[in-house]
Amino acid sequence: MDSLEARLRFITVLKTLQKTLNVINISEITSNNSNTSTTANIPTNSFVAVSNDGSLSSSSTTPSTSSTMNSTGVFTLPQTSDTKYVNPIEFYLKNYKEHYEDFHQCLIDTMKKFNVLDRLPITIYYFKIINMLYYDINNEISLKILNEFMIPSLIEIATLILPENDVMSLTNLPLSEDLVNNLLNSGRISVIIPTDLQTQLRNLIEARKEFKQTILNTYDTTQLISHESGSGTIEFPTILNRMEMDRDRHKRSKETNWKVKRPSSSSSVNSTTSQLMLNPAEFKTQWNSINALTAEDLQEIKTLNSTAQESYLL
Amino acid sequence: MSPPFESQLCLSRPYLTKNQITYTQRNTINDRRTYNQKKLSILNFLSELCLKLELPRKTLETSMYFYQRYHLFNNFETELCYTIATSCLILSCKQVETFKKVNDIATLSLQIRNMIKISTDTLDSLKKMLYQIEIRILEACNFDYRINNNVHIDEYIVKIGKILKFDYNVCELAWLIAYDVLKLDVILMVPPPTIAMATLKLADALCDQRNWLPGSYDVLGAQKDLVDDIFFHIINFYINAFDLCDLKYHIPPDIVPISVERFMEIKSKMGPEVTMPDLTDGDIKFDYFLEKSRDFTTQERRYILSNEVMKEEDNALKNI
């Protein structure tokens, strides 16, 4: 397809991101990859860095076992993706080699046209693309796109999602901070991001956090939030839409944040079921995500013990 | 004259003593050997399902609790046991809030049992059966939602290990032991934290750490005799059925390799075998809950969670 058609289709993809991005789960992405023209051997744990809603819980981080390069299990499940809308990741993977410049420009232009409250899905999508391209870094096109387009524009994206002196955009702050931190602290992608850019990004986040703190302090003292609204007045339907999106994103994340990624039996041929279930990495994740016994836990123990005692009826 | 309306009121008893369990099982399990053998295959089957569905350990634990609980009050039939296990998994996904679609679980369960072509009819009839079994499981557990929703063995191993400042290795070993524990009926006897404590005590002994102290029980709000009883149960399993355990294949490299002798050595150092208070055989048969095999023909079957409600109902009936 030609440049214009590519752009138009991409804009449609961007506009429907809030519906499609959340529905994607990891096994769908990797199973779709096998049908695309990309040569990427994208390991499933690449998406752990930025999960569906862009948030990072430690339970979603997998061990860095380099053996898990293939998709998850080969079992067949009925296709659950919404066929009305195009899968945005798949769309990008199919077409980026010819149209990456168009896509990049399109993405930023569309983002500018959106209200600041609606820009979050595009930001999440942007970071997802960076992650995907990084895992295919041996391919010189991916490297080129990353170095010439995606990474230099990070500041522009950050400024769009968190404009200066804009109170409304502060709702984007927690997620953006997570996305940036994950990118810069990963130790993998961060090596190709120039240090001054990293500093700029971090400074921007810090500045917004300070701004937020100032606003909160003013509120504490004067019970007023006064600001010059950088993004103009925001319509009520936009706010409602954003609330819906947040709610949806939270719901989706709860549906999957308990998932435990274990190496699949197809990748480790000789492993027995118990071997896979007793993978030390799984315990490590548990260890890192659970804290020591609290007073509430002690209370639970006591309640259960008394239930058990009543139950024995001795 | 209309026939009398029958109503059954049942107090929920989520945990039972060893004698109570054995007594109840004599109604439902004809061949204990087959039952125990099948239990191992079922654990394997459920583990495979958990692997494919990316379910955490807590779902597996809860499924095993449901499976064993079901067979306390419903007859054990070898042909049905995989279907029952699948139903247990579906229910446990709901209980621990790791939701998965029933279609996915059912389809996968058939695939693991080597059915390649699955028609919609087979799937539908399987689902129907799964839902029927589900209600039986719920009745076997007395609809007790308090059990297995927030508190799970593997999480409490970490929590307790951290508060007692155990080494990472000791806790990892306890976590491995906890997988073998799912094969035993101790999960029907005591709540998950007690099991977690027993596994930690054993792991501590295996690593020669000596960090499990007499004072540990109080810190954790635990009852010493219960924890020790489970501890001996687990150690006896390793001594008597060492070939069946998975622990021996997965010992972390820096820990002393285990063997039957090692467990016997540990057991001998732990003093006399402790058992929790239990009923004698003579007294048990007065326990209606255990004695009577389940009859699902009563029109109204109600399950309640507290003794107070039971007493109120009793009083209300007396006052009619």
Side-chain angles (χ1 to χ4, degrees):
Chain A
M1 65 185 158
D2 68 341
S3 174
L4 182 61
E5 191 190 337
R7 279 171 179 258
L8 287 174
R9 286 178 66 183
F10 193 60
I11 291 177
T12 322
V13 166
L14 291 174
K15 286 192 170 152
T16 56
L17 271 181
Q18 63 192 76
K19 292 194 180 69
T20 53
L21 207 54
N22 286 335
V23 172
I24 294 172
N25 61 38
I26 294 177
S27 55
E28 276 179 39
I29 296 173
T30 48
S31 61
N32 282 335
N33 281 349
S34 56
N35 299 331
T36 63
S37 56
T38 178
T39 53
N41 243 344
I42 299 177
T44 54
N45 53 11
S46 69
F47 297 107
V48 170
V50 181
S51 67
N52 287 345
D53 60 354
S55 70
L56 315 150
S57 45
S58 57
S59 59
S60 65
T61 51
T62 42
S64 52
T65 45
S66 53
S67 58
T68 56
M69 284 296 277
N70 295 322
S71 62
T72 52
V74 289
F75 59 94
T76 52
L77 280 181
Q79 195 58 283
T80 51
S81 59
D82 201 333
T83 45
K84 276 190 296 182
Y85 302 106
V86 176
N87 180 327
I89 306 283
E90 190 185 290
F91 180 82
Y92 190 86
L93 283 175
K94 273 192 176 141
N95 301 304
Y96 77 106
K97 288 194 174 141
E98 294 98 49
H99 301 289
Y100 56 86
E101 286 189 45
D102 292 317
F103 286 168
H104 187 79
Q105 211 174 24
C106 221
L107 197 146
I108 299 194
D109 288 341
T110 316
M111 210 164 154
K112 285 182 180 153
K113 290 189 188 129
F114 276 12
N115 188 296
V116 72
L117 289 181
D118 293 330
R119 290 178 189 165
L120 202 52
I122 303 186
T123 318
I124 298 174
Y125 185 45
Y126 192 86
F127 277 78
K128 270 202 161 113
I129 294 176
I130 291 185
N131 267 312
M132 278 198 314
L133 290 172
Y134 178 75
Y135 277 99
D136 194 22
I137 196 87
N138 299 320
N139 183 333
E140 50 179 77
I141 296 187
S142 304
L143 193 60
K144 179 179 175 188
I145 301 177
L146 277 175
N147 284 329
E148 290 179 27
F149 291 95
M150 302 301 276
I151 290 174
S153 301
L154 271 175
I155 290 291
E156 193 173 358
I157 297 280
T159 326
L160 281 172
I161 193 86
L162 293 167
E164 203 163 354
N165 284 330
D166 186 327
V167 174
M168 290 298 227
S169 70
L170 288 175
T171 50
N172 296 331
L173 186 54
L175 203 56
S176 311
E177 189 180 353
D178 277 344
L179 287 169
V180 167
N181 281 342
N182 184 61
L183 189 69
L184 300 183
N185 297 338
S186 68
R188 295 179 307 227
I189 299 186
S190 49
V191 295
I192 58 171
I193 304 177
T195 31
D196 55 340
L197 193 72
Q198 293 195 28
T199 337
Q200 257 185 307
L201 271 174
R202 288 195 209 273
N203 288 341
L204 191 142
I205 300 278
E206 282 310 310
R208 297 297 175 269
K209 280 163 83 169
E210 279 173 26
F211 176 58
K212 179 175 179 179
Q213 198 52 51
T214 343
I215 298 275
L216 287 174
N217 291 340
T218 328
Y219 181 76
D220 281 339
T221 47
T222 64
Q223 304 294 302
L224 286 174
I225 297 184
S226 59
H227 66 287
E228 294 140 26
S229 180
S231 40
T233 48
I234 300 211
E235 302 288 313
F236 190 55
T238 324
I239 300 181
L240 267 185
N241 191 32
R242 174 56 191 263
M243 284 166 69
E244 264 303 308
M245 261 172 36
D246 279 350
R247 215 192 104 245
D248 206 46
R249 205 165 4 101
H250 182 246
K251 195 175 88 147
R252 298 273 171 212
S253 81
K254 284 202 76 156
E255 281 171 12
T256 56
N257 64 359
W258 45 260
K259 286 197 178 178
V260 178
K261 289 232 157 287
R262 306 179 180 97
S264 70
S265 46
S266 58
S267 61
S268 29
V269 178
N270 291 321
S271 305
T272 61
T273 313
S274 65
Q275 206 163 351
L276 295 168
M277 280 302 283
L278 295 176
N279 181 10
E282 188 182 337
F283 181 69
K284 190 161 200 170
T285 322
Q286 285 280 69
W287 182 264
N288 291 334
S289 56
I290 298 175
N291 296 323
L293 207 69
T294 61
E296 286 88 25
D297 295 329
L298 212 54
Q299 190 54 46
E300 294 258 20
I301 294 181
K302 293 203 164 92
T303 321
L304 277 172
N305 282 342
S306 66
T307 312
Q309 281 303 117
E310 277 184 13
S311 171
Y312 301 138
L313 276 186
L314 293 167
Chain B
M1 176 73 168
S2 54
F5 180 78
E6 278 194 350
S7 173
Q8 176 189 317
L9 191 62
C10 188
L11 175 67
S12 168
R13 294 172 66 182
Y15 298 110
L16 299 169
T17 65
K18 180 76 186 162
N19 282 350
Q20 289 170 339
I21 292 175
T22 325
Y23 193 76
T24 320
Q25 282 174 336
R26 88 196 188 329
N27 276 338
T28 56
I29 298 179
N30 291 334
D31 184 355
R32 278 202 77 89
R33 252 191 104 205
T34 321
Y35 172 72
N36 284 330
Q37 273 173 352
K38 275 294 173 192
K39 222 196 299 181
L40 300 177
S41 328
I42 291 289
L43 181 62
N44 212 41
F45 170 71
L46 287 174
S47 301
E48 270 200 67
L49 273 174
C50 286
L51 283 172
K52 294 204 148 75
L53 294 165
E54 298 172 335
L55 295 169
R57 184 75 98 84
K58 60 184 179 181
T59 319
L60 184 64
E61 285 170 20
T62 313
S63 318
M64 287 306 286
Y65 175 86
F66 286 155
Y67 179 81
Q68 298 193 43
R69 187 83 193 180
Y70 174 89
H71 286 112
L72 285 183
F73 303 111
N74 296 280
N75 293 334
F76 171 65
E77 286 160 57
T78 331
E79 322 81 59
L80 274 185
C81 62
Y82 287 99
T83 314
I84 294 172
T86 313
S87 192
C88 289
L89 188 73
I90 292 173
L91 189 59
S92 84
C93 280
K94 296 183 208 174
Q95 176 71 352
V96 304
E97 295 188 7
T98 58
F99 300 106
K100 278 285 178 189
K101 298 209 175 88
V102 177
N103 266 334
D104 295 348
I105 299 182
T107 321
L108 267 176
S109 78
L110 290 174
Q111 284 177 349
I112 293 180
R113 285 152 71 181
N114 294 321
M115 264 190 244
I116 317 292
K117 269 189 175 299
I118 302 168
S119 67
T120 10
D121 282 339
T122 335
L123 197 61
D124 280 341
S125 61
L126 175 67
K127 274 162 59 176
K128 221 169 163 183
M129 210 169 12
L130 290 174
Y131 290 132
Q132 284 168 353
I133 297 174
E134 202 179 37
I135 189 80
R136 291 277 172 267
I137 303 172
L138 283 167
E139 294 210 43
C141 298
N142 314 126
F143 291 89
D144 201 331
Y145 58 86
R146 306 169 296 179
I147 308 299
N148 285 322
N149 58 348
N150 292 332
V151 177
H152 306 108
I153 303 174
D154 63 332
E155 292 169 3
Y156 270 69
I157 288 179
V158 176
K159 286 185 200 235
I160 297 175
K162 281 189 173 174
I163 200 88
L164 293 178
K165 306 228 191 321
F166 277 17
D167 269 349
Y168 178 84
N169 299 325
V170 178
C171 299
E172 189 180 6
L173 192 59
W175 184 76
L176 296 170
I177 294 173
Y179 185 76
D180 278 324
V181 170
L182 296 178
K183 302 169 183 155
L184 313 176
D185 48 16
V186 295
I187 56 179
L188 293 178
M189 285 163 62
V190 287
T194 315
I195 299 182
M197 291 176 212
T199 57
L200 279 167
K201 180 172 175 178
L202 181 54
D204 179 66
L206 275 171
C207 298
D208 277 325
Q209 292 278 312
R210 290 180 211 142
N211 285 330
W212 181 272
L213 308 163
S216 309
Y217 300 98
D218 292 324
V219 168
L220 302 169
Q223 289 158 277
K224 186 172 188 304
D225 48 0
L226 256 65
V227 178
D228 286 347
D229 186 330
I230 304 302
F231 171 83
F232 280 110
H233 261 109
I234 302 176
I235 239 189
N236 286 338
F237 165 73
Y238 280 117
I239 292 176
N240 299 332
F242 189 74
D243 296 328
L244 302 175
C245 81
D246 283 305
L247 182 65
K248 61 182 181 291
Y249 301 117
H250 300 108
I251 294 282
D254 43 347
I255 296 188
V256 179
I258 59 163
S259 60
V260 180
E261 289 76 33
R262 180 101 179 89
F263 283 110
M264 288 172 81
E265 185 195 329
I266 292 176
K267 183 175 174 183
S268 60
K269 287 191 196 150
M270 282 294 171
E273 204 161 323
V274 174
T275 53
M276 58 195 247
D278 208 339
L279 287 176
T280 61
D281 290 339
D283 290 333
I284 276 192
K285 53 178 186 283
F286 294 114
D287 196 337
Y288 200 67
F289 187 85
L290 314 168
E291 165 76 27
K292 193 144 187 337
S293 58
R294 285 296 178 270
D295 171 16
F296 298 108
T297 58
T298 324
Q299 261 177 300
E300 183 188 77
R301 302 187 291 279
R302 295 166 55 205
Y303 297 92
I304 52 175
L305 302 181
S306 91
N307 232 337
E308 278 74 44
V309 179
M310 187 69 117
K311 289 189 188 125
E312 275 171 24
E313 293 268 343
D314 205 28
N315 288 335
L317 279 172
K318 288 201 181 98
N319 291 336
I320 289 176

